Structure formats: C-alpha cells, structure tokens
Amino acid sequence: MTTTKVWIITGASSGLGLALAEAALTAGEQVIGTARRVDRFDGLTARYGDRFLAIEHDVRDTAGAAAVVQRALEAFGRVDVLVNNAGAGQVGAAEEVTDAALRSMLEQHLFGPAAYVRALLPHLRERRSGAIVQMSSQGGRMSFPAVGSYSAGKFALEGWSEALAGEVAPFGIRVLIVEPSRFRTAFNAADVLRTARQSSIYDKVIGAVRANMIEADGIQEGDPARAARVIRDILDTPDAPLRLPLGAEAVRNLTRVYRGALDDVERWAPVSESADFPGMPPAVRAF
C-alpha cells in the first residue's frame, strides 16, 4: 500500500503553496511544483533533489496543464493530490476593474484549476483514489466592496468544485475546498496585490479597504506552516468536510455570513414561496 503521496501544487514557489510543498517534502513525499518563474524553485531543488520537480507554467495557459500532468506521471508514475493554489488578489471597485483584469481573475481562479482537474481526472479515476484541493478563500463565500473581481473567481471556483465533488466521489476521489482568511504570505505585498486604476469617486467607499489590504502585509495572523499541517491532516480524515474555513477570522466571518443568509431566507420565505403556482407539490429533483 502506498504510504507517501505524490503532489502537484500550482503556485508552489510562495505562500500556502510553498508551505504545502515543504511539508510534503519534509515528510519524504514527492512534489511537482509550478510557478511562472522556475528559478524561484532553486532552493527547493537544492534541498530535495529528485523528489522535487520544478515546472514553469502560468495557470492562465490552460492548454499547458495537460503537459504538466504528463510530466508528473512520467517522473513519478502517479499523482495522489492536486492542489490548485496559484492565484493573486485584486483590489478595485466594479467600475475601476477592466474587462481584461476581471477575466484574469477568472482565468487564474477558475479556468486554470479546471484545466488541471480535467487533465488529471482520467488518472485518478483509473486508480479510484486521490484528492483535489481547491485553494479558495473566505472571499469565495462572502464579498465586500473593492474585492468583487477576486471574489468572482473564487465564488466560481467553489460552485464548480461543489458539483465536481459529487461527480467524482463514486470513483473514490475527494475534493476539499479550503477557505483561508489572512495568512502571512506575500498575498498583501504591494508588488504582488493587484490594484485597479483608482478613481477618486470611490475613495470614500473603498479607500479604507485599499489601505487595509496593504497594511495587512507582514502582520497577518495566519501561519502558513500550521495551515499546511491542517490541510495534510484533513486529507487523511475520513469524514472531512467539503469546505474548510482556515483561520479564526474565516470561522468568525463565515459563521456571521451563513447565519445572516439563513435569517434572510427564513424571513422572506412566504414572499419567495408566493411565486409558485398555487397547490403545486414539492419538486422532485435528481440531487
């Protein structure tokens, strides 16, 4: 029986992707890491040798995902865990974010992960095992002014992944959607966090959000190393949830959001239900 795992981790040169790669490699496992600049992996390659395979790939290049998966299978013979981690944040009001910038968020956070999943699923189905980890965000279940374009990508990833989980469960494949709050990575760094061209019209509405996103750099409460251990442990837990809020802030915020949403559904249920034809029986659906 296989006791160690082979991982594909996109965006593995920094942040939570790097923390997961280091945790797996430290445990004696094998990792295929992707990044836009392969030279950022020099340290991992030097420390872990042929147990680490560095591949240069931009997740927005969806046509290239299959080649990454093929190289992984050629190098290690199998893949046990796919971690779709690559991505970036973006700050800007809806009117400030261009069509190209919005599309980039969707390419990184939905189309890129989907391409990797499609490329790897035949292998996982044949083996009837494996896990797909979708790195989302607390911003994949809630949103607020200035982060709409980022949340659009993460909301889309979560909806797509929830359906995926039901589709692949009969083949022994697990899906885990991870929803981190702020972790001490470069996500909030001024040269990493993307900012739309600012309009003074929105300064009073989102000015504080813009400032707070940058000010958080270096003081985030989340520990990437601890997060990596949590994710690894959850993958070995038989009754793991589909969604895992990560960090105390994510727990607080999502608890508030879920309770508020349920309150709204219950409060307005009579109005919502009045839109049906009178006397109709409950719908029978296939899910």
Side-chain angles (χ1 to χ4, degrees):
M1 172 180 267
T2 299
T3 57
T4 61
K5 297 182 177 69
V6 178
W7 301 66
I8 293 178
I9 305 174
T10 68
S13 64
S14 63
L16 293 175
L18 176 58
L20 276 168
E22 289 184 323
L25 291 164
T26 299
E29 297 175 332
Q30 296 159 314
V31 174
I32 301 90
T34 77
R36 296 181 191 180
R37 287 175 41 204
V38 76
D39 62 291
R40 299 182 68 185
F41 287 128
D42 289 350
L44 289 180
T45 301
R47 275 183 284 156
Y48 297 106
D50 59 7
R51 286 197 293 112
F52 178 71
L53 174 62
I55 300 178
E56 189 167 295
H57 182 241
D58 185 331
V59 295
R60 293 173 296 183
D61 170 23
T62 55
V68 175
V69 170
Q70 184 59 35
R71 283 189 63 187
L73 295 176
E74 290 171 355
F76 298 123
R78 71 178 199 279
V79 173
D80 301 291
V81 186
L82 167 65
V83 182
N84 277 310
N85 169 75
Q90 184 162 265
V91 179
E95 193 174 350
E96 296 172 336
V97 175
T98 66
D99 195 40
L102 177 59
R103 185 175 288 110
S104 180
M105 289 290 100
L106 292 169
E107 288 172 344
Q108 291 182 71
H109 301 139
L110 174 62
F111 297 129
Y116 269 94
V117 169
R118 286 194 302 269
L120 185 60
L121 270 181
H123 171 71
L124 298 182
R125 280 192 293 100
E126 183 179 357
R127 295 182 60 228
R128 301 192 73 83
S129 68
I132 297 166
V133 180
Q134 308 284 53
M135 297 301 294
S136 180
S137 166
Q138 63 178 347
R141 297 294 277 176
M142 57 175 282
S143 195
F144 50 88
V147 300
S149 61
Y150 174 75
S151 283
K154 294 302 190 181
F155 267 64
L157 175 68
E158 293 219 12
W160 188 86
S161 299
E162 185 171 338
L164 172 70
E167 294 163 2
V168 301
F171 301 100
I173 303 166
R174 297 176 58 185
V175 174
L176 175 67
I177 302 170
V178 182
E179 300 168 331
S181 47
R182 287 176 168 171
F183 278 76
R184 204 163 297 179
T185 69
F187 181 92
N188 294 93
D191 60 343
V192 175
L193 183 65
R194 300 178 183 187
T195 304
R197 184 174 181 179
Q198 298 178 12
S199 167
S200 59
I201 295 171
Y202 289 97
D203 283 350
K204 290 184 178 180
V205 180
I206 65 173
V209 175
R210 289 178 184 141
N212 181 256
M213 293 289 281
I214 296 296
E215 291 167 356
D217 185 41
I219 61 171
Q220 302 98 323
E221 61 269 37
D223 179 346
R226 291 174 184 267
R229 289 197 293 271
V230 169
I231 292 168
R232 286 174 57 81
D233 289 345
I234 284 289
L235 288 177
D236 291 329
T237 303
D239 60 346
L242 171 63
R243 288 180 169 87
L244 178 70
L246 203 58
E249 184 191 47
V251 172
R252 291 193 303 271
N253 284 341
L254 294 181
T255 297
R256 170 177 53 81
V257 167
Y258 288 149
R259 285 179 175 159
L262 182 58
D263 287 346
D264 280 347
V265 170
E266 292 174 341
R267 177 185 177 191
W268 294 98
V271 174
S272 301
E273 293 165 350
S274 71
D276 286 352
F277 288 107
M280 291 293 292
V284 177
R285 303 289 291 269
F287 58 86

